[in-house]
Amino acid sequence: MIWNNEVLYLHVPKTAGISVTAYLLDNLRGPVSYTAPSQNRSLKRGRYFEGNRHETLYDAESFFTYRNRSIFDFDMIVAVMRDPYDLEVSRYHYLRKGNKVDRGPAQDLAMAGDYGAYMAEASFFGADPPRLDRYLHIAGVMPDNLRVIRFEHLADDFERLLGPYLRRGADPSLPRLNESKH
């Protein structure tokens, strides 16, 4: 999760979040803060808070309530969503990289190499079915200030929605980091 005084970004899994994170840390105007696991703490600009890379709306509201703020105070909350099939294919190939931090039943299934078995048996971040709605709804309601950017139109939607919140002279192009090769 990354934020300044106006914008809150939620990193939905497998939606170019590493690229968006790097870009926002470099280009959001004003003081920027972010959460990340301690082993992924960035040395870039921004105030670091220990946290999860993939906070949901409920997680974010809990975080900010503790700091006398609300997710509803932001001009805009941004989340990127992706076609569900493409998301699962991307996750499968990502898990096949064998990263130690991703150890578990889903990675074991992916490493076995049978995509059909992986799809039939793997849960998505511990949820079966995947609970991506947690990034878009809080208490069953989508916040009025939430803007969903489609992964398939990421660069255009990102520039259109976030352009007014970026530092002067910010490069409008997003980096391509941590791509799954498939």
Side-chain angles (χ1 to χ4, degrees):
M1 160 169 89
I2 299 169
W3 67 96
N4 66 6
N5 288 328
E6 304 155 316
V7 175
L8 169 63
Y9 165 72
L10 297 178
H11 178 170
V12 178
K14 302 311 303 161
T15 59
I18 299 295
S19 297
V20 172
T21 294
Y23 184 83
L24 291 177
L25 285 175
D26 287 343
N27 292 298
L28 266 181
R29 68 177 181 219
V32 178
S33 301
Y34 67 100
T35 60
S38 60
Q39 72 269 23
N40 297 117
R41 181 178 181 165
S42 172
L43 299 177
K44 295 185 178 194
R45 160 175 110 92
R47 183 173 177 205
Y48 166 78
F49 292 88
E50 175 96 22
N52 180 347
R53 181 177 285 157
H54 302 288
E55 284 91 354
T56 64
L57 279 170
Y58 178 81
D59 297 331
E61 182 62 9
S62 295
F63 178 89
F64 288 110
T65 296
Y66 182 73
R67 290 160 179 80
N68 298 316
R69 190 163 185 192
S70 170
I71 61 173
F72 302 99
D73 295 337
F74 289 94
D75 291 351
M76 180 172 35
I77 302 168
V78 176
V80 178
M81 294 310 283
R82 185 176 190 170
D83 175 270
Y85 180 79
D86 289 340
L87 186 139
E88 285 291 350
V89 169
S90 177
R91 182 163 182 262
Y92 169 78
H93 286 283
Y94 168 78
L95 289 172
R96 288 185 51 80
K97 291 179 179 180
N99 296 323
K100 291 178 185 178
V101 71
D102 299 309
R103 284 188 180 147
Q107 187 182 61
D108 293 343
L109 285 165
M111 295 301 282
D114 182 346
Y115 182 70
Y118 167 81
M119 285 299 293
E121 298 178 37
S123 63
F124 188 79
F125 286 84
D128 187 12
R131 293 297 316 272
L132 296 174
D133 59 300
R134 294 183 281 184
Y135 296 92
L136 304 178
H137 298 95
I138 187 163
V141 176
M142 183 181 280
D144 289 338
N145 58 342
L146 176 66
R147 301 296 175 266
V148 178
I149 294 177
R150 291 190 53 200
F151 177 85
E152 295 79 9
H153 305 282
L154 183 60
D156 292 338
D157 288 351
F158 195 82
E159 185 176 347
R160 179 178 51 81
L161 285 173
L162 289 170
Y165 300 99
L166 300 178
R167 292 184 303 121
R168 181 180 291 205
D171 181 354
S173 58
L174 284 169
R176 295 181 73 108
L177 308 172
N178 197 39
E179 284 184 278
S180 297
K181 305 293 183 212
H182 57 277

